Every structure is written in structure tokens, then in C-alpha cells.
Amino acid sequence: MRFWDYKIAGVAFLIFLGCAPGASLSQPKRNKTVWNYDGGVFFATDGSLPNGACFRVSGGMNAGDFFDRLKRVDDEHGTVFLRGPETVIQFPEVLAVSFAIRDLPCDPGVHDNGPRTYLTREMMGHLQLMVYWKSGLDLRAVNNVRGVQTRVERIFPHATALAAELPQRFEWSYQLLVPSAGVPLTDSLVFVFRTDEGRIAARVAARL
């Protein structure tokens, strides 16, 4: 399902588990694990384009003080989200998502032929973003995602005297507001980056 298909332009953002019920007592108990989400939820992945350019997507989602003191507890009884003694089951009304994209060398074996291809403004202008909520195998398109800010910065080499001789490199930064009222904390927020031809260039999920 394709819902929102905004070009990620070079200089402007075009609005853009627990044990099963009834499990036998003879089954081994799960060890208790606790995850803390102070500072929000972070995500990262690597992607590539058909022309040989590779890149890294990294970012996070937050919502004021919502994630402060929020914990996920997994044990033999299942999964529960707690903030102190309070049980939390849903995300707040809106999540603030920020992420950055910059090129990086491809992993060995991904693109071995020819010189390295660097990510350019033109390539970014043909990259498209789709956002979904994922529950199990089900993907639900997110409507009314709003772009707040975009920024493009050139990355200068450490040897500044060689900057004029080296290919220009950039970092693209974006901020979004994603509606999340009523969404259970067990759902994941999925970002899919596609080329104009529909090929998936990168996919990453922010999950608790």
C-alpha cells in the first residue's frame, strides 16, 4: 500500500513476547529482561542504489518526555511497558522523528566494479519515502505525516587542502511529525526508501 510518496529533494523537503496463553508449566521460564527508553528510540540501516551509491540512514523518534523512565519488561508472563508503577499501552498523539542520510563505502561484494559512486543531490531527488505502522506481518500506511525541517550540509574532508580535488559529499537531515494516537507500543514505525522504479533502496524500523 502506497500512501505518501514525497520526493526527498536535495535542498527542500517536498511535503515530503512472552509465553503463549496456556503454555505448559513444564516449559522453561523466560529470563526477565528490561529495556530503558530514556532519550527516545533510535534506528539505523544501510542502503544502496542501482547505480552503485551506498548510504547510511540513522535517526530516532521522541515525544517530549514520553519516553523518559519508560521501560519494557519481558518475562515469563509476557511483555509490559511501565513508567514507574504506571502501565503504558499506547504511543502519544504525535511522534517527532528525525533522521540523516549520508553516503558511505559499500560493503565488500555489494558493488565491486569501478570507482566508488558518491551520493549526489540528483540521486536524492529521485528517492521516495513511505511510512507505515507494522503489527506482526500487517503494514498500515501512515497518513498526514508532516515534514517540519530539512537541511543539507556538505561534509568536508579532514585534509581541507584537498577539498577542491575530492568529490563533494553531503549529509541530508530531516524532521517529521508522525501521528500516532491510539497506536499500541507493540507496533513498529517502518520507513521504506524507494527509487523512482519502485526498487527498495533501504528499509528500517523504529521499534520498542
Side-chain angles (χ1 to χ4, degrees):
M1 180 183 296
R2 182 167 178 149
F3 79 104
W4 157 139
D5 200 26
Y6 298 135
K7 300 279 185 174
I8 302 183
V11 294
F13 201 171
L14 303 183
I15 306 289
F16 165 59
L17 281 131
C19 295
S24 169
L25 293 177
S26 64
Q27 293 179 337
K29 291 184 177 180
R30 288 173 53 180
N31 293 327
K32 181 177 180 179
T33 57
V34 179
W35 302 82
N36 295 294
Y37 297 105
D38 285 338
V41 178
F42 302 95
F43 55 87
T45 193
D46 294 341
S48 64
L49 299 176
N51 65 2
C54 294
F55 58 92
R56 167 70 52 84
V57 181
S58 58
M61 66 179 184
N62 215 325
D65 60 357
F66 177 81
F67 291 101
D68 294 349
R69 299 185 299 111
L70 183 67
K71 297 180 179 181
R72 169 176 171 161
V73 179
D74 296 315
D75 59 20
E76 68 272 19
H77 302 295
T79 299
V80 63
F81 294 92
L82 301 173
R83 187 184 296 109
E86 174 192 6
T87 299
V88 184
I89 61 173
Q90 295 180 341
F91 285 102
E93 291 189 359
V94 178
L95 292 170
V97 175
S98 60
F99 64 91
I101 300 176
R102 64 159 64 188
D103 68 20
L104 81 166
C106 296
D107 289 335
V110 176
H111 294 291
D112 291 329
N113 299 324
R116 176 180 168 186
T117 301
Y118 291 86
L119 196 64
T120 65
R121 295 172 184 261
E122 182 181 2
M123 296 176 197
M124 287 294 293
H126 292 281
L127 200 60
Q128 303 167 350
L129 172 64
M130 287 147 277
V131 185
Y132 303 91
W133 284 111
K134 184 175 184 293
S135 177
L137 298 177
D138 178 53
L139 287 176
R140 308 186 309 277
V142 182
N143 297 312
N144 301 320
V145 176
R146 183 162 66 90
V148 176
Q149 186 180 35
T150 183
R151 185 173 68 253
V152 182
E153 295 181 338
R154 185 177 175 187
I155 303 171
F156 288 93
H158 294 295
T160 55
L162 300 176
E165 303 175 18
L166 297 175
Q168 292 187 1
R169 299 179 59 212
F170 300 92
E171 180 178 82
W172 289 261
S173 301
Y174 303 93
Q175 294 181 10
L176 313 175
L177 293 179
V178 179
S180 52
V183 177
L185 293 180
T186 50
D187 284 9
S188 302
L189 188 60
V190 178
F191 304 90
V192 179
F193 299 84
R194 291 183 182 271
T195 65
D196 280 344
E197 296 76 25
R199 178 186 180 275
I200 296 179
R203 172 173 170 156
V204 66
R207 59 172 62 90
L208 275 67

